[in-house]
Amino acid sequence: MDYNTSDLRRGLRIELDGEPYVIIDSDFMKPGKGQGIYRIKCKNLLRERVLDKTYRSGDKLKGADVQEQSLEYSYKAGSAYVFMDMESYEQHEVLPDALRGAEKYLLEGMKVNVVFWNGQVISVEPPRHVELVVEYCEPAAKGNTATNVQKPATLQTGLEVQVPAFITIGDVVKVDSRSGDYVERVSKG
Amino acid sequence: MLEVETPLLARGLVVDAHIDPVALDPATARGARYLQPSPEAPMKRLLAAGSGPIFQIARAFRAGESGRLHRAEFTMLEWYRPGMDDHALMDEVGELLRELLGIDTWRKRTYTDLFDELLGIDQHAADTAQLAAVARAQGIDQGDDARPTGRDTWLELLFATCVEPRLDPREATFVHDFPASQAALATVTASAPPVARRFELIYGGMELCNGYQELQDAALHRERFAAANARRRALGKEAVAPDERLLAAVEEGLPPCAGVAVGLDRVVMLALGATHIDHVVPLRD
């Protein structure tokens, strides 16, 4: 699908140099009697890259065939992660490359948002907050009640986060999947 | 100065390559009708009829214009001063903004000087390839470099992206003497190289007005309308109907005058410190 410059707005997915981008900011400007100019900032959906582009009124842009679907994480098969469409029971195998760290938040049976580009999975977004069991951390330091003292903890998925000193092995903690930060303790182990 | 009110519905237009009118019932026997993109044509008809100095605050409509500083429907303050020249009118705009926005002073810079000072190019001499190279060197990443473009397209792009944003927003700057090829309905000087006696005021990071030493020659009106329609077609747009009644009025005689249109919503934005035009209009477009 092709777009006109007047379609340009935040959230639109376009294809540039053969890669998918999402527009994160756009502005229209028009010099007095001149041609309208559209300036956009767009983010690459495959890797960390932000581009600034300038278009003139009437330019055509190629849309990116990007679809989103809610799938359930089933299990790990070798190095691939298997996700299932709970309506059609269709399975999608995703390699860690496309997960870009999201695998550290996946629990079996978890509903995740999966982004496809031309039918290929390009990213997986776990829920904003994920609750995980602490598999290992140093014991709570006695007498140290200061809340700003942090220590590393390894969670059940292998994710490493900084947690407060009072956390012990077996605790369930809530983690922010976008920032990778500890949010709060959900229950004591 | 007399306040006037003219119809918003127009049967013909001041033809502009880059202003797309909102067209209504285009299939009627009498031809197209438009919501006016500016009150310029009817006000000039009044001037030709001997109105003397006139002003009006009017709604104007432009298809497809939407952004931080643009709305498809917006408010214009437009006025004409018979017997006044473009420089005196710039000062009058400055005086008005002294009242409305408290500006102390304003400066006047020619388009040519600003291109020289800010981009180091002679806008009269530079060809299309040089202008394109400057744009690329300035980091203006054009979406589609392969599309054929004219010199003016590059000049306009550079003006909007590299000249305007680099002017001190705290300083009111009248940019005047535009390229003759961007004269619209301003007179063009007989000097070599010729320039258009057209001006814009840039203040607070935005364009606040567009003014002319008004063109009086009827044949030149027709020529410029035809050229603007040719450019529209080259851009893949529909030609628009020229305002024949305006042309007839200019034929009868437009008095020597200067005229200017001020984007009133933007003045309100500056007065209130608003960052988006939607913030100064009660309901969304």
Side-chain angles (χ1 to χ4, degrees), chain B residues 19 36-40 56-60 62 74-78 210 260-265:
Chain B
I19 293 176
Q36 66 172 9
S38 103
E40 180 175 2
Q56 133 160 261
I57 292 174
R59 283 297 167 83
R62 296 178 182 187
F74 62 104
T75 304
M76 239 178 193
L77 163 61
E78 184 150 333
N210 188 34
V260 65
V262 172
L264 212 52
D265 309 276

Side-chain angles (χ1 to χ4, degrees), chain B residues 45-263:
Chain B
R45 286 168 62 197
L46 292 179
L47 287 161
S51 67
I54 49 175
F55 80 98
Q56 133 160 261
I57 292 174
R59 283 297 167 83
F61 304 84
R62 296 178 182 187
E65 299 197 3
S66 168
R68 198 175 69 80
L69 300 175
H70 297 267
R71 279 170 71 99
E73 176 179 355
F74 62 104
T75 304
M76 239 178 193
L77 163 61
E78 184 150 333
W79 77 95
Y80 292 86
R81 286 280 197 190
M84 192 180 258
D85 77 3
D86 47 350
H87 279 269
L89 188 58
M90 284 182 230
D91 292 331
E92 193 168 65
V93 173
E95 294 293 345
L96 176 72
L97 296 186
R98 195 204 299 276
E99 289 289 316
L100 295 177
L101 300 176
I103 65 170
D104 299 326
T105 55
W106 46 92
R107 59 176 194 156
K108 296 176 184 173
R109 303 295 309 275
T110 67
Y111 190 94
T112 307
D113 283 351
L114 287 174
F115 265 74
D116 178 41
E117 182 187 312
L118 298 170
L119 293 169
I121 44 176
D122 179 350
Q123 65 94 359
H124 290 294
D127 63 21
T128 307
Q130 284 169 308
L131 294 172
V134 170
R136 268 188 289 275
Q138 296 289 328
I140 304 305
D141 185 6
Q142 274 275 89
D144 186 358
D145 279 326
R147 209 156 66 93
T149 59
R151 249 186 114 254
D152 280 312
T153 307
W154 288 109
L155 286 173
E156 287 155 7
L157 184 72
L158 287 168
F159 187 73
T161 57
C162 300
V163 175
E164 271 190 39
R166 290 182 197 172
L167 296 173
D168 185 343
R170 292 161 303 181
E171 194 163 22
T173 305
F174 285 98
V175 182
H176 63 99
D177 291 359
F178 274 66
S181 50
Q182 296 173 28
L185 290 186
T187 56
V188 168
T189 61
S191 60
V195 292
R197 288 176 68 183
R198 199 186 122 201
F199 64 88
E200 287 184 0
L201 172 62
I202 316 293
Y203 177 59
M206 53 181 106
E207 229 174 78
L208 292 182
C209 80
N210 188 34
Y212 313 145
Q213 180 67 43
E214 301 293 348
L215 183 69
Q216 293 171 268
D217 185 308
L220 284 177
H221 273 75
R222 287 186 190 277
E223 256 177 46
R224 293 198 194 163
F225 285 179
N229 261 334
R231 201 166 167 199
R232 291 185 69 83
R233 280 187 289 261
L235 289 167
K237 299 187 197 195
E238 271 185 46
V240 296
D243 187 336
E244 291 298 336
R245 289 181 288 195
L246 168 67
L247 291 166
V250 175
E251 205 89 56
E252 290 292 315
L254 186 69
C257 63
V260 65
V262 172

Side-chain angles (χ1 to χ4, degrees), chain A residues 28 30 32-33 54 56 59, chain B residues 18 141 143 147 149 207 212:
Chain A
F28 168 77
K30 195 158 185 291
K33 290 285 174 182
T54 305
R56 281 170 290 129
D59 281 345
Chain B
H18 301 303
D141 185 6
R147 209 156 66 93
T149 59
E207 229 174 78
Y212 313 145

